[in-house]
Each structure stands twice: as C-alpha cells, then as structure tokens.
Amino acid sequence: MGDFLVMKKALEEIDNGKELAIATIIKSEGSTPRGLGTMMAVLEDGSIYGTIGGGALEKYIIELCIGAIKEGESKTIDLPLDAEGVDMVCGGKVEVFIDVYKIKPKLLIIGGGHVGYAIYNIASLLNFNISIFEDREEFLTKERFPLAKELILGSIDERLRNYKIDNNTYIVIVSRGHKSDERALLEVINSNAKYIGVMGSKGKVMTMMDKIRNSGITEENINKIYAPIGLKISSGSPEEIAMSIMAEILLIKNNGTLKHMKQ
C-alpha cells in the first residue's frame, strides 16, 4: 500500500473517532528492510495500514506505537536493527518518528446564554471540540463563539435526536429554562456520553428527575446525571458557575479526586 493510501486510511479512522499513530522512517543507514519516508498507521488494537518492513522490526514498532497512543505522546525512536527486541541481522539502523493522533473530547453546550457563553470561554482554553446548541439565532453567531467547532441552530431536542454521541462526549445542559432542559435531557440520557450535567436548583432538579423517571428512564441512567451541575465552589456568577462546571468535567475526564494538592 502506498503512503498516500496509508494517510487516506488513517484520516478515515480519525474521522470515525479512532486514535492511532503513524510511524515514519525519517533516517535510514546501512541495510534496512524499507527506505526513507516509509509509513505505517497503527491503531490502538494493533491493526495496521501499510508496512514498515515486516518481521520483528514491524512487530516491535507496532508495540511502540500502541504504547505511544496510550501515553498520548509523539516520539522519535533510534533503532539499530540488531537491538534486543528487533534482532535482525541486516546490520542497518533506522530512526522512526511515531506521530500520535489523539481524538479531542467533544463538549456539547446546550444553550448559548450567559452561562453557556461563560462555559465556552473557559472550555476554549482546554482541549475540547466545542459544539453549541441554541434555538435563538441572535445568541448563536460566529462572532459570539469564534472557536466553536459547530454552531447548531434550531429545535434543540430535534437537533440532539440524531446527533452522534459517544463515550468521549461531555454534555452541559444550560438552556433558557427547565422545560427545554428537560426535553434536551430526554434526548441524551440514554446515550453513552461520559458526562451529562444539568443546571438548576435542587427543587427544580428533583421535579425534573421525577418526570423523567415516570417516562420510563431507568434508575441507572438517572443516577449518572450530574444535577445540580458543578462543584460547590461558585458564588453564583455565570463565570464562577462555568468554572465549577468545567472543574467537575475535568474531574470526571481525568479520573481526578477532590483533594487539595498540598494534602
């Protein structure tokens, strides 16, 4: 398979939400199985597109690529072909660049009002692909959300109904009122989202959860909802509410703990 096809297949896998590494020979000395510029794409499960020489060298590089994907770091490896783990007798040496492609987590902000805008501003500093859902055209402009990947205008529950949500998706429901929040929640509560949070007072949240429970949603799915949303660190301003929400999302995303670093 030519290197163009390796890149084409790699891009297809990335578009499908797969994480991978591309191994490229960037230096070659002496007798080696493949030449300068040879590429191989390696997925998390060890499947590959292209070849970097076959045999023990290729097996070793696949293992290095899988490790690099887990670590999330690109790296350059200098490999004498008689090194332990490679054990080839051709006597050459290759330098391989392993370029890791990690998928950014998706953040769906349901509502582009004051709190949604504050969440967007904080999330824009973090490593998220941000999508804003809003049914008010005046609140959903490129000038207001210049760094958002998607601006999705229209009936929020209808737009969410066919939206692709996976376990790398974080959802914040902060729309114009609890009725629209409830409709949005019903569309996503059975999804595989890593995080779903809904803004509201304890009383409104309890009423909402009772309605959702009566609609046939399982207790397991109800219990995974973070509502009221956020950590208890805010004074109540939109900016501090947004900070408390993003802190909670990072806590879930990074498997964190609620501890002071000095402890």
Side-chain angles (χ1 to χ4, degrees):
M1 181 183 291
D3 293 339
F4 172 78
L5 291 180
V6 171
M7 292 300 299
K8 182 173 182 293
K9 286 293 186 181
L11 289 172
E12 288 173 1
E13 295 289 0
I14 291 169
D15 285 342
N16 289 328
K18 299 289 183 65
E19 297 184 338
L20 55 82
I22 295 178
T24 306
I25 296 178
I26 59 173
K27 190 174 182 181
S28 176
E29 296 180 4
S31 178
T32 61
R34 299 295 299 273
L36 194 66
T38 302
M39 289 182 175
M40 176 177 67
V42 181
L43 276 65
E44 287 179 282
D45 63 2
S47 56
I48 64 171
Y49 294 106
T51 178
I52 210 159
L57 172 65
E58 186 162 286
K59 181 176 182 294
Y60 189 65
I61 291 175
I62 290 171
E63 291 170 355
L64 292 175
C65 286
I66 293 171
I69 294 168
K70 289 178 180 177
E71 295 166 7
E73 294 184 2
S74 299
K75 59 183 70 178
T76 299
I77 305 294
D78 192 14
L79 281 176
L81 298 188
D82 58 356
E84 184 177 353
V86 180
D87 299 320
M88 298 183 71
V89 297
C90 48
K93 183 170 72 172
V94 294
E95 193 171 321
V96 179
F97 177 54
I98 297 175
D99 197 7
V100 174
Y101 292 80
K102 299 287 284 184
I103 304 301
K104 285 185 178 182
K106 292 185 288 187
L107 176 64
L108 311 187
I109 303 176
I110 314 303
H114 297 304
V115 174
Y117 179 68
I119 294 168
Y120 157 81
N121 280 328
I122 294 172
S124 295
L125 302 174
L126 306 171
N127 194 33
F128 287 91
N129 280 328
I130 303 171
S131 299
I132 316 291
F133 289 73
E134 180 55 73
D135 57 6
R136 298 167 291 181
E137 189 171 359
E138 66 273 20
F139 280 84
L140 196 71
T141 65
K142 194 65 178 175
E143 290 74 27
R144 184 171 170 82
F145 299 108
L147 299 178
K149 184 179 181 182
E150 296 178 303
L151 301 178
I152 301 173
L153 178 66
S155 172
I156 290 173
D157 48 326
E158 290 180 7
R159 293 290 186 266
L160 284 170
R161 193 165 300 149
N162 298 313
Y163 192 87
K164 185 178 179 181
I165 296 172
D166 57 26
N167 63 3
N168 199 31
T169 304
Y170 299 77
I171 303 173
V172 176
I173 301 176
V174 289
S175 69
R176 65 166 83 190
H178 68 275
K179 288 185 178 179
S180 58
D181 285 349
E182 183 181 323
R183 290 194 297 270
L185 179 58
L186 281 169
E187 295 299 334
V188 301
I189 195 169
N190 292 322
S191 72
N192 292 323
K194 187 74 172 288
Y195 172 95
I196 303 172
V198 186
M199 192 169 71
S201 66
K202 285 187 178 180
K204 287 182 179 179
V205 164
M206 287 178 65
T207 300
M208 182 188 301
M209 292 307 170
D210 285 341
K211 287 183 179 179
I212 287 175
R213 188 175 286 108
N214 292 334
S215 71
I217 303 298
T218 65
E219 285 297 319
E220 181 182 3
N221 281 347
I222 289 172
N223 289 336
K224 74 181 183 181
I225 305 305
Y226 291 83
I229 198 171
L231 302 180
K232 197 172 182 180
I233 58 174
S234 164
S235 68
S237 70
E239 293 76 17
E240 290 196 7
I241 291 170
M243 183 66 75
S244 79
I245 291 168
M246 290 310 301
E248 184 171 69
I249 287 175
L250 291 179
L251 183 73
I252 303 305
K253 173 179 172 289
N254 300 327
N255 297 313
T257 56
L258 287 171
K259 293 175 63 176
H260 293 288
M261 293 298 290
K262 73 175 185 177
Q263 291 178 332

